[in-house]
Amino acid sequence: MLAVITGASSGIGKELAYRLAEKNYDLVLVARREDRLKEIKKDLEKHDIKINLKVYDIQNINSCEKLMSELKDSKIDLFINNAGFGLYGETLEIQTSKEFDMIDLNIKSLQYLTKEVIKHMETGQIINLSSMAAFLPTPFLSSYAASKAYVYSYSQALRYELKRKKIPINVMTVCPGPVITEFNEVANASPKMKGLTVKKCVDSIIKGIEKKKALVIPGLKMKILKFLLRFAPNCLVLKVSYRVQQNK
Ligand SMILES: NC(=O)c1ccc[n+]([C@@H]2O[C@H](COP(=O)([O-])OP(=O)(O)OC[C@H]3O[C@@H](n4cnc5c(N)ncnc54)[C@H](OP(=O)(O)O)[C@@H]3O)[C@@H](O)[C@H]2O)c1
């Protein structure tokens, strides 16, 4: 079994690499920081698995093309589109070029890789990292939340199309709430709300993979929030979301 993980050098992607190694998956780990990837490979040497490192900036579509051409002879069982980042701040103060970089990584590369993997995969799963932010317009994280809403909507619709065509590939969407990783540091946010541990988040993802789920929302609090959002008027959601995010 082979799993490809983008954004494997830290946080959720890194934990997924450790957990899938325990399950004897061979791994292809993708990220920009080669030193981090090498450390992870060294840590995982105790497992009898093959680990291939791909040091790519996959924000760039040319790099995604190179990655896919290097994987053309591999039988991929799991492809995890995990690489992504957020931008915290007043929307009018965030540089548009940074927002466009984020859209390139969070949306365009994910979409490119998803489609290329489906062409290449006979059977297996694609796991796309969205966010709870997909379900609520989020002041101070406006473009990030919008990018994750895109990922959610795209992945769910694609999954349904594949199912109707009886193509044996499951597309699973993962929508975590806050998780303790380097995400906030990269996004320039300092949340007061305590996040889920990366271990708990990845426990849910692994269970979701085993059950070939459509959607995984790690943590009970976030499942309750998703349920309550059904009944809350948009103006209330925005008001509460503004207050919570303003305090970061
Ligand atoms: N943590 C949260 O609260 C949270 C909540 C909901 C959803 N998520 C989503 O979960 C995913 C993982 O985030 P995380 O929390 O684990 O954050 P993280 O610790 O910052 O990890 C992000 C990973 O993405 C990689 N990455 C970033 N830009 C890249 C690029 N241009 N090319 C290749 N790799 C790149 C990083 O590696 P390099 O820097 O080495 O390239 C790193 O391995 C993201 O999609 C995020 O939006 C996170």
Side-chain angles (χ1 to χ4, degrees):
M1 301 274 269
L2 173 69
V4 182
I5 308 173
T6 71
S9 64
S10 89
I12 298 169
K14 178 178 171 181
E15 181 69 15
L16 277 165
Y18 281 73
R19 302 289 286 281
L20 292 172
E22 282 167 12
K23 293 185 175 292
N24 281 324
Y25 275 86
D26 292 328
L27 298 172
V28 175
L29 306 179
V30 186
R32 293 165 300 180
R33 286 171 292 179
E34 189 173 13
D35 52 334
R36 296 274 198 106
L37 291 179
K38 281 184 171 164
E39 268 175 42
I40 295 169
K41 185 174 179 179
K42 208 169 160 218
D43 264 4
L44 295 178
E45 263 165 11
K46 59 181 180 249
H47 299 285
D48 186 22
I49 57 169
K50 287 187 204 118
I51 302 175
N52 239 305
L53 306 183
K54 302 285 179 193
V55 182
Y56 278 129
D57 178 347
I58 57 161
Q59 192 179 298
N60 180 332
I61 286 291
N62 294 336
S63 303
C64 295
E65 286 170 357
K66 276 190 203 153
L67 174 67
M68 287 315 297
S69 90
E70 285 171 15
L71 293 173
K72 72 178 188 310
D73 297 323
S74 312
K75 186 188 166 302
I76 302 170
D77 298 287
L78 263 186
F79 193 100
I80 306 181
N81 276 306
N82 166 73
F85 72 93
L87 291 169
Y88 175 81
E90 299 258 5
T91 301
L92 294 181
E93 284 170 20
I94 294 178
Q95 275 177 29
T96 308
S97 63
K98 283 193 179 166
E99 291 177 320
F100 287 177
D101 285 347
M102 193 186 63
I103 289 168
D104 284 344
L105 180 65
N106 292 10
I107 297 179
K108 289 190 186 173
S109 296
L110 177 142
Q111 182 161 331
Y112 174 83
L113 291 169
T114 300
K115 287 179 90 170
E116 289 304 305
V117 171
I118 289 172
K119 284 183 205 158
H120 171 102
M121 202 181 229
E122 279 166 26
T123 172
Q125 296 197 67
I126 298 175
I127 315 300
N128 287 344
L129 264 289
S130 172
S131 166
M132 269 306 284
F135 307 123
L136 58 158
T138 314
F140 303 101
L141 279 169
S142 58
S143 48
Y144 172 73
S147 78
K148 292 300 183 180
Y150 186 103
V151 171
Y152 169 77
S153 178
Y154 176 76
S155 307
Q156 294 283 302
L158 174 62
R159 180 183 195 273
Y160 193 72
E161 283 186 36
L162 297 179
K163 208 175 145 192
R164 292 301 294 253
K165 283 190 165 172
K166 299 197 172 12
I167 294 173
I169 297 174
N170 182 44
V171 181
M172 183 173 103
T173 317
V174 183
C175 293
V179 183
I180 306 163
T181 66
E182 292 170 20
F183 177 84
N184 282 310
E185 206 181 304
V186 175
N188 198 25
S190 346
K192 306 230 175 359
M193 204 199 303
K194 208 173 157 240
L196 205 63
T197 62
V198 77
K199 187 184 169 304
K200 281 197 179 147
C201 173
V202 171
D203 280 347
S204 299
I205 299 176
I206 298 284
K207 274 189 205 145
I209 291 171
E210 284 166 359
K211 293 186 179 159
K212 296 196 176 159
K213 283 190 145 190
L215 174 66
V216 167
I217 299 177
L220 182 64
K221 275 189 201 162
M222 290 302 133
K223 287 186 185 76
I224 294 171
L225 175 61
K226 166 80 169 57
F227 176 76
L228 293 177
L229 280 169
R230 285 191 207 169
F231 310 105
N234 205 31
C235 56
L236 179 67
V237 171
L238 280 165
K239 204 171 176 178
V240 174
S241 172
Y242 185 93
R243 285 233 181 107
V244 170
Q245 298 299 332
Q246 194 180 30
N247 288 329
K248 281 185 176 175

